[in-house]
Amino acid sequence: MQLDSGQIKSLELQPKYELIPRHRRRGKAVRSMNYYADFEIEHLDGRIEIIDVKASASYKTEVYRMKKKIFEYLYPDKEIVEVY
């Protein structure tokens, strides 16, 4: 494995990224919106790669596409890589 051989710095399974925090609207609690990736890899050069495994290229739901756009805006230093 790349982690054991020192080819990557770290590997995290199902990392959670907050897209919209929990808040109140008109006195009512609104739950947070989160994106859960399949893996996060930190490379030796400090680059962060987010891995999202998809069954096929056509399996991108509208919810996934929306969350990906928000993620890319909030976390510009991290890259989502889709693996099929």
Side-chain angles (χ1 to χ4, degrees):
M1 186 170 142
Q2 291 180 337
L3 184 60
D4 294 334
S5 66
Q7 295 177 14
I8 61 173
K9 191 172 185 178
S10 68
L11 172 69
E12 184 179 347
L13 301 177
Q14 296 186 318
K16 173 183 166 183
Y17 299 94
E18 186 176 68
L19 302 178
I20 301 174
R22 181 179 65 190
H23 60 282
R24 297 191 76 73
R25 181 174 167 84
R26 298 184 184 146
K28 292 187 178 184
V30 178
R31 294 186 335 187
S32 64
M33 177 189 288
N34 300 301
Y35 167 66
Y36 293 88
D38 293 309
F39 306 97
E40 178 185 282
I41 298 171
E42 183 178 0
H43 293 274
L44 297 175
D45 62 3
R47 184 172 46 95
I48 303 291
E49 207 172 34
I50 310 303
I51 308 297
D52 199 304
V53 179
K54 299 289 180 206
S56 69
S58 64
Y59 193 71
K60 294 180 190 176
T61 65
E62 287 301 314
V63 171
Y64 168 75
R65 289 179 179 152
M66 177 187 61
K67 286 185 175 186
K68 182 179 177 186
K69 283 182 182 183
I70 296 169
F71 175 91
E72 289 173 338
Y73 176 78
L74 293 174
Y75 301 96
D77 59 322
K78 298 182 181 188
E79 174 186 2
I80 293 179
V81 176
E82 296 164 351
V83 178
Y84 306 99

